[in-house]
Amino acid sequence: MKIFFVGFAVFAGGSLAAKHVFVSEHLRFYLAQQYCQSKYTDLSPLTNDLEEQVFRKSVTDGQSGWIGIYWDDNEKKWICVGGVVYRDQAWETSPGNIDRVYWTREKWISKNGWTLSNFFCLNLIVVQEEKTWEEALEHCRENHDDLTSLLSETENRLAKREIQNPTITQRVWVGLRFLGDTWMWVNRDPLKFQAWTQTGDPDQQCPVQKRCGALSKQGEWENRDCQEKLNFICV
């Protein structure tokens, strides 16, 4: 009876609109990035199809602007915020001074980074209250949107960066939960990217007690006892 109740509560509600924020201010790329880093997390990274699917759910018709992909002249590659190389082969050539990526619903456009444009920010909210996993889930859904999913190496790196403050617990809850016979994101995002710590612990694959997922300050996922009290990340 207890397990059924938890499973039911875990999947109550949970829209995706709060993960990305549209900012209607006309700024150059580097100033837009500074704005996102000061008020949110960073410019929105769109490094795979799943990230863009989630992103599109938060964007209304007519919105367009900078996203977190730029050309690195030293690396001679397109780079995502967080330092991950963008792997779409269509973008693997030097763009000259057309070196930043501007998103529209119809297509992506490369533009000069000095162009004044609206932009999109990724919004990961680190809550420095120590709660059990279920208390953290309730807090996120009451005050924000949900416990966060981490859909790519870029999102994982940006979340890791946000929790390095020594006042934050050594690991933080994210929206990972083992239910039935598998790990899943509680907001129903597909679990494609994974960053589990390489311990070889069989309890990670089929946990008996450690059935909730946390992100460590090393950027690795760990399965933990759901009753442990940690800080957490909402969107």
Side-chain angles (χ1 to χ4, degrees), residues 113-124:
W114 290 87
T115 305
L116 297 175
S117 299
N118 300 324
F119 51 96
F120 300 92
C121 300
L122 177 69
N123 187 28
L124 302 179

Side-chain angles (χ1 to χ4, degrees), residues 4-67:
F4 176 81
F5 174 78
V6 168
F8 178 81
V10 157
F11 289 108
S15 69
L16 299 169
K19 194 169 192 177
H20 298 274
V21 176
F22 175 70
V23 181
S24 182
E25 291 196 29
H26 289 81
L27 297 179
R28 298 179 177 95
F29 182 94
Y30 77 96
L31 289 176
Q33 185 173 26
Q34 288 179 8
Y35 182 101
C36 290
Q37 290 175 345
S38 66
K39 295 184 178 295
Y40 300 101
T41 302
D42 212 316
L43 284 167
S44 293
L46 302 182
T47 57
N48 58 40
D49 290 342
L50 178 56
E51 275 184 320
E52 186 164 10
Q53 289 171 23
V54 171
F55 174 81
R56 281 176 174 271
K57 294 180 181 179
S58 66
V59 176
T60 60
D61 289 341
Q63 291 180 340
S64 59
W66 297 125
I67 58 172

Side-chain angles (χ1 to χ4, degrees), residues 11-209:
F11 289 108
S15 69
L16 299 169
K19 194 169 192 177
H20 298 274
V21 176
F22 175 70
V23 181
S24 182
E25 291 196 29
H26 289 81
L27 297 179
R28 298 179 177 95
F29 182 94
Y30 77 96
L31 289 176
Q33 185 173 26
Q34 288 179 8
Y35 182 101
C36 290
Q37 290 175 345
S38 66
K39 295 184 178 295
Y40 300 101
T41 302
D42 212 316
L43 284 167
S44 293
L46 302 182
T47 57
N48 58 40
D49 290 342
L50 178 56
E51 275 184 320
E52 186 164 10
Q53 289 171 23
V54 171
F55 174 81
R56 281 176 174 271
K57 294 180 181 179
S58 66
V59 176
T60 60
D61 289 341
Q63 291 180 340
S64 59
W66 297 125
I67 58 172
I69 300 175
Y70 60 93
W71 178 260
D72 187 302
D73 266 334
N74 293 323
E75 295 288 334
K76 303 300 181 187
K77 294 177 180 177
W78 289 97
I79 304 293
C80 305
V81 292
V84 178
V85 175
Y86 184 65
R87 301 189 183 282
D88 188 329
Q89 295 300 312
W91 292 78
E92 287 293 326
T93 57
S94 175
N97 65 349
I98 310 301
D99 55 359
R100 300 294 186 267
V101 177
Y102 181 91
W103 185 92
T104 73
R105 187 171 291 277
E106 292 74 29
K107 61 181 179 179
W108 295 15
I109 302 169
S110 55
K111 284 190 174 186
N112 186 300
W114 290 87
T115 305
L116 297 175
S117 299
N118 300 324
F119 51 96
F120 300 92
C121 300
L122 177 69
N123 187 28
L124 302 179
I125 304 162
V126 180
V127 180
Q128 293 192 55
E129 298 180 28
E130 296 186 16
K131 295 183 180 291
T132 68
W133 187 91
E134 289 180 23
E135 288 171 345
L137 179 68
E138 182 179 7
H139 177 98
C140 289
R141 288 181 172 174
E142 286 183 353
N143 296 281
H144 304 287
D145 188 67
D146 215 329
L147 277 170
T148 194
S149 57
L150 298 171
L151 304 179
S152 67
E153 183 181 353
T154 299
E155 284 193 7
N156 206 67
R157 286 192 186 191
L158 294 175
K160 172 187 171 183
R161 189 181 73 189
E162 293 295 292
I163 64 172
Q164 295 307 306
N165 191 308
T167 62
I168 296 172
T169 53
Q170 288 301 306
R171 51 195 57 81
V172 297
W173 292 128
V174 292
L176 277 171
R177 186 65 186 260
F178 191 87
L179 289 170
D181 60 354
T182 190
W183 287 96
M184 58 187 67
W185 293 115
V186 295
N187 65 3
R188 300 183 185 274
D189 282 346
L191 183 58
K192 294 182 178 180
F193 168 79
Q194 299 187 45
W196 294 104
T197 182
Q198 301 299 312
T199 63
D201 184 357
D203 190 46
Q204 190 180 90
Q205 299 302 317
C206 189
V208 176
Q209 290 184 320

